[in-house]
Amino acid sequence: MRIGCGYDVHRMKAGRACVLCGVRIPGDTGPDGHSDADAPVHALADAILGAAALGDIGTHFPDCDARWKDADSIVLLETVWRKASALGYALGNADITIILERPRVAPYIARMRERIAGALNVGVDRVSVKATTEEGLGLTGGGLAVAASAVVLLEEAAR
Ligand code: MG
């Protein structure tokens, strides 16, 4: 088995769509970035790349490349997963933590797990999505940013 971890932060900006784990959450602010800025999906993609020792999301999808402008990060995740799968890895499990003050994401967690599991072609029982706040402290607490961390276990299924 191989373990990987990933971490990402995006600034929250007024007027941006808020897409987290591939789920659109209604509101007037959302993460800003070159792609759709889906921080938890970026953290997960980095965790997968880390477990497979395939570099990081920035080398695979550089933000100077117009192809990834406003990209759907679920598509980036699917691309990353294809690279890991091609090396013979299967997903043991993935655990994602989203850190933000608002909007409240609890009502969307089930749908988020389905979106991630669909992208990785596994059952939802292998995908955990959790959310927490930083109690009003710091950048996420002040609503200025969304942060996310992810851990994955890959199994060397066919290596
Ligand atoms: Mg990012």
Side-chain angles (χ1 to χ4, degrees), residues 7-10 35 37-39 42-43 57:
Y7 181 73
D8 195 29
V9 176
H10 281 271
S35 66
D38 190 333
H42 293 179
I57 195 172

Side-chain angles (χ1 to χ4, degrees), residues 30-44:
D32 192 25
H34 186 67
S35 66
D36 64 6
D38 190 333
V41 168
H42 293 179
L44 177 59

Side-chain angles (χ1 to χ4, degrees), residues 75-86:
V75 173
L76 307 188
L77 177 63
E78 288 169 346
T79 304
V80 162
W81 185 239
R82 268 197 301 277
K83 292 173 194 247
S85 299

Side-chain angles (χ1 to χ4, degrees), residues 12-98:
M12 293 292 275
K13 186 178 176 187
R16 285 275 299 186
C18 186
V19 178
L20 297 171
C21 288
V23 177
R24 175 76 186 265
I25 299 172
D28 50 13
T29 65
D32 192 25
H34 186 67
S35 66
D36 64 6
D38 190 333
V41 168
H42 293 179
L44 177 59
D46 254 352
I48 292 166
L49 290 170
L54 285 174
D56 63 38
I57 195 172
T59 52
H60 289 271
F61 310 103
D63 64 8
C64 55
D65 188 329
R67 275 183 299 167
W68 316 122
K69 176 95 177 85
D70 298 323
D72 177 350
S73 292
I74 290 287
V75 173
L76 307 188
L77 177 63
E78 288 169 346
T79 304
V80 162
W81 185 239
R82 268 197 301 277
K83 292 173 194 247
S85 299
L87 293 177
Y89 291 114
L91 186 81
N93 71 300
D95 186 17
I96 300 169
T97 303
I98 306 170

